Amino acid sequence: MDTVLLIKAAIMGIVEGLTEFLPISSTGHLILTGALLGFDDAKSKVFDIAIQTGAIFAVILVYWQRLRDTVTGLGSDARARRFVTNVGIGFFPAVVLGLLFGKAIKAHLFTPTVVASTFIIGGFIILWAERRQSAVVRIENVDDMSPLDALKVGMLQCLAMVPGTSRSGATIIGGMLIGLSRKAATDFSFFLAIPTLIGAGAYSLYKERALLSMADLPMFSVGLLFSFLSAWVCVRWLLRYISSHSFVPFAYYRIIFGVIVLATAWSGLVVWAD
């Protein structure tokens, strides 16, 4: 067993868990961390997607009561059925557009300029969204969302196909811009992540199965475990944070990180594209 490899897997898992649900793009952070660790070959790219499942298990644990009540109430509770329908509607655009354009986006948009630009632009969008948040809130709770609201958030989630955008950023900040409260947007982003990230992880593992063997199981297990643990801490912290704070600090972080992306690319420290 390669101890150094397992340590790298643990570090990558921690980075994934801490960044997946914040509006700061886990992809950009994993690329930088992987490059610095020398953990950036073809197999590691599959690893980066697969360990998202560990982070999702943390969301399932945090929201276990709500998810259990929803499943048990599907036959009799109209609220539960509406909730599941809305999550399904929000998930659908990512499936369609991902299958249609995922390969082309990966081939042409995974450049430092695009990643840095989306980081920086996203930071300014967060500042704008927070400035107008109090004037546009019309939905305080995810149960008050309509199918059209869910579809809009689902379409916004597709923006995260562009590297550096951040799935959480697109859904949370996008949700706020269409009238969801900060809490409702964050909750729906978490719920929408469950089918989205599990589906992406399963598809990636299946598609790249020829690269993998049983010898990779310890590496993936460590990554999943640390992704789960760090995401559990992060999700619980974020839910407390948004009750009394805005996303403005994340906006400034994105802008600074965008500059770092350009600096690492120009210096040759990180290779962003094949």
Side-chain angles (χ1 to χ4, degrees):
M1 184 177 297
D2 188 337
T3 303
V4 173
L5 181 61
L6 295 183
I7 292 173
K8 291 180 179 180
I11 293 172
M12 295 294 285
I14 292 170
V15 171
E16 161 61 26
L18 292 179
T19 59
E20 181 61 53
F21 302 110
L22 300 178
I24 56 176
S25 178
S26 61
T27 300
H29 288 79
L30 288 171
I31 291 172
L32 276 175
T33 306
L36 294 173
L37 293 175
F39 192 81
D40 53 3
D41 58 8
K43 187 179 294 185
S44 69
K45 294 177 182 178
V46 180
F47 173 88
D48 290 350
I49 298 174
I51 61 173
Q52 293 174 342
T53 307
I56 281 301
F57 286 151
V59 171
I60 292 173
L61 179 62
V62 171
Y63 285 96
W64 176 249
Q65 184 68 47
R66 172 62 191 267
L67 295 172
R68 186 184 67 179
D69 292 345
T70 298
V71 172
T72 57
L74 281 175
S76 57
D77 188 348
R79 186 188 75 159
R81 290 193 295 271
R82 183 171 64 251
F83 171 76
V84 171
T85 298
N86 282 344
V87 172
I89 290 171
F91 172 57
F92 183 72
V95 175
V96 175
L97 295 184
L99 291 174
L100 289 176
F101 303 111
K103 184 179 292 187
I105 288 174
K106 194 171 183 178
H108 299 292
L109 295 184
F110 231 95
T111 68
T113 302
V114 171
V115 173
S117 297
T118 53
F119 263 109
I120 295 169
I121 292 171
F124 284 110
I125 290 175
I126 291 175
L127 293 175
W128 175 51
E130 285 290 359
R131 175 179 291 184
R132 67 191 298 267
Q133 166 71 1
S134 59
V136 300
V137 172
R138 57 184 177 81
I139 298 171
E140 293 289 348
N141 191 286
V142 291
D143 291 320
D144 299 325
M145 292 177 63
S146 70
L148 181 58
D149 293 321
L151 180 61
K152 289 178 181 177
V153 176
M155 293 297 293
L156 288 164
Q157 178 174 242
C158 295
L159 294 175
M161 294 172 64
V162 179
T165 301
S166 168
R167 191 206 64 83
S168 294
T171 52
I172 294 174
I173 305 305
M176 290 168 57
L177 288 173
I178 67 170
L180 276 65
S181 68
R182 191 178 293 111
K183 177 67 164 59
T186 302
D187 284 342
F188 193 69
S189 175
F190 285 154
F191 292 131
L192 193 55
I194 295 174
T196 302
L197 299 188
I198 289 178
Y203 178 72
S204 179
L205 286 173
Y206 174 77
K207 185 179 177 182
E208 306 295 345
R209 61 191 183 280
L211 291 173
L212 308 175
S213 68
M214 288 301 295
D216 298 315
L217 186 59
M219 178 183 72
F220 277 77
S221 298
V222 168
L224 286 166
L225 173 62
F226 279 88
S227 174
F228 165 77
L229 292 174
S230 57
W232 182 75
V233 171
C234 183
V235 169
R236 288 169 58 86
W237 172 81
L238 183 62
L239 291 174
R240 292 193 301 270
Y241 175 87
I242 62 171
S243 65
S244 57
H245 297 82
S246 75
F247 288 112
V248 168
F250 297 106
Y252 292 118
Y253 178 87
R254 287 184 65 104
I255 294 168
I256 294 170
F257 196 83
V259 174
I260 292 174
V261 169
L262 288 176
T264 56
W266 289 339
S267 69
L269 183 63
V270 174
V271 179
W272 288 83
D274 295 329

